[in-house]
Amino acid sequence: MTPSLPIIEVAIPLYLDRTFHYLVPESLQGSAETGHRALVPFGNRKLTGYILGPVATSDVATLKPIISILDSEPLWTPRELEFYRWVASYYQHPLGEVLRTALPAGINIQTRKGTGGETETLAGGKTALREKYYLPLAGATTSRQPGAKALAVLAVIQEQGDISAPELRSRFGACIPQLKRLTELGLVRELEREVYRDPFKKQLVNRDTPRPLHGHQKQALDSIAATLDRQEFAPYLLYGVTGSGKTEVYLQAISHARAAGMNALVLVPEIALTPQLTGRFQARFGGGIAILHSGLSDGERYDEWRRIRRGLAHIVIGARSAIFAPLDSIGIIIVDEEHESSFKQSDGLRYNARDLALVRGRLEHAAVVLGSATPAVTTLYAARQERLQLLELPERVQGRPMPLVQLVEMKKGGDAISPPLAAALAATLEEHRQSIVFLNRRGYATFLVCSDCGKPLTCPNCSVTLTYHRQRGESLCHYCDYAVPAPGTCPSCNGTTLSELGIGTEKLEQQLKELQPTARLLRMDSDTTSGKGSHGRLLSKMNDGSADILIGTQMIAKGHDFPEVTLVGVVNAEASLGMPDFRAAERTYQLLSQVIGRAGRGTIPGRVILQAVDTEQYAIKAAAHHDAEGFYRQELEFRQEAGYPPFSHLAAYAISGLSEQGVTAQAEATARLLMQLKGELKVRVEILGPAPAPIYRLRNRFRRQILLKAPSRNDLHRLLSLWRSRAKVDANVRIAVDIDPVDLM
Ligand code: ADP
Ligand code: ZN
């Protein structure tokens, strides 16, 4: 009898609810470790699998052997795997897909069709970069003398200890002959070394030192530091008004963790990952920082990931996917602006990084700090229920007052800029201070309407109106990028008189130019920041005082610290209220509070003009009066009456497809099956729908949704799991289950 081969459990990145067993052939024993990827036979394909670990026996009769091992180092630790298993179970997503999502894009295996139609799998994706380095050789003596330039090169190499070829080139220009000569003479040695692509691009930052904390900051820090010393899980809500010094608390808490040899993970909304924020961390900590965000190339992302995995970075700052950073010994996880909806991934694995921070923090015995000036209603409620420890910073640093807010009542369809706002802009300009004018709508007009038939121009692929962009000369769909020349003609009646309705940032810029011809204007929205680095360039123009008025969408509402901004104008405070979403009031309150918080962050007090049609609306009024207490009280009452979170748990089925009939039939079948299973399980779950999604057509797909509401999370999950095991889905229809949905559009 031959001794039986070891068996391993492998997850495969496909939409399959199970894992698979494989044999490890003798030649691969010792390298088929947990956390490595393996190339495995699967049907008649070869796929990448993730090794989860050894298993003692398998009830599968004929196991196949794996083909090869793709990594020399494990990609995740057992503790990380425990986290991924939790994620897979909670979000009802296959483990292999979870692992694929968690790994950096650059690492993934690429498959291509071979000549005979067979699928060939290539290990790789991105590869490590290598660069030439030069080192001085000690004690080398020679009678022959190198030339003057070679001697200068040698001096630099000796002074630096080692130096890369590109750096030598940038100092001396072409110097290959000199280097060759120095090498021949045995004075220097050349070697090739793996280098990491540097997302900071060698940006230099002046070091700073911790500031003495004010009373509330100190209390907050002491509490977090005590947790760090005990190395145990403790979740916090750091609830501090804009400009109260939350970031300073984060920095000092991280210092405390670092001093004890622990690492830190910092999650921020994508939009806040500016050089300004990363600069503050660099200034405080110098090196050892890794950053992860969508602006990185696959190569940069892969390099940052490996630096973290190898323990070369101790502080990781990133957008939502950084929750999967391969960081060991995590002492503290910070989620800044925790209320931001961008922490939620909206397709594939629909995770919420804010929620996962608490889960990972528990597994890592870490302190988890959720920070916000305007916490999510659910987060604040959890703090009041003492599921999170509440740390408050109720005042701005150095006693700076909150800005003075004036509510200006507007008439529907009137001018975009009210006389008080125009006067305030003129006065601010005269004082040589800066202003921000906020309008959460890009483009020129909101849309074009045909004067002959009265129909607005809509997208042929999506059920939304097209936005008129004058500079581009196009009407554009903001969902699918469909564009037609504009103004153009009416597609319904061929009418040629199209009139503009509503206003976007582009038109606002033009109106402000007419109003203040001498003002230097800057516009910041996704149209003006699409180029690499353009975001940073616009911000630095604001910082160095070469702009007077910054016009922008929500992109300017967050995280920026412009000390010279003393005036903030909000053109249309209710822009975000019209959404058919139970969180519309919450989002409006948060956005307005953030925008208001941009004013008066320096030594000069700020002032804000909020224009609104309905100045009595509670979210607008509360934001204007800095009345957080009032807002949360009213909002919680509404949530309780309507049975929305935090008084229930939600899940949504998004059903979509190209055939309207197919989608309708599948949606109805799904709801029927859910009703039936609910009866079998006797669980308390409310099943709403199927209803057409608010955007019924998107990129040509018809969309319906079913919303589930349950007082108990356990009931909800039992129903979802049973549905998953029983459902039969039409192959032409896609059903996505979204746990704790954020976007219901
Ligand atoms: P937040 O993150 O709450 O908006 P920041 O941490 O950015 O607030 O602080 C606002 C400003 O006040 C920053 O310029 C910061 O450097 C400064 N600051 C923070 N804490 C202190 C302190 N204790 N003493 C002096 N200045 C401080
Ligand atoms: Zn469209």
Side-chain angles (χ1 to χ4, degrees), residues 211-233:
R211 291 185 171 74
L213 298 183
H214 61 68
H216 291 288
Q217 280 177 318
K218 193 160 182 337
Q219 273 176 16
L221 179 67
D222 287 348
S223 177
I224 298 167
T227 295
L228 286 169
D229 293 340
R230 288 193 299 273
Q231 303 207 7
E232 63 186 26
F233 170 63

Side-chain angles (χ1 to χ4, degrees), residues 459 461-462 477 480 482:
C459 176
N461 312 318
C462 311
C477 174
C480 73
Y482 170 86

Side-chain angles (χ1 to χ4, degrees), residues 208 211-215 217 238 240-252 280 284 336-337 373 393 396-398 400 559-561 563 597-598 601:
D208 79 345
R211 291 185 171 74
L213 298 183
H214 61 68
Q217 280 177 318
L238 180 61
V241 296
T242 50
S244 59
K246 294 184 290 298
T247 312
E248 187 63 36
V249 174
Y250 303 151
L251 291 170
Q252 296 198 24
R280 272 177 89 175
R284 190 61 58 87
D336 190 28
E337 310 284 4
L393 306 179
R396 284 189 158 185
V397 291
Q398 296 170 336
R400 286 172 198 160
H560 307 305
D561 201 355
R598 293 310 109 204
R601 290 173 71 88

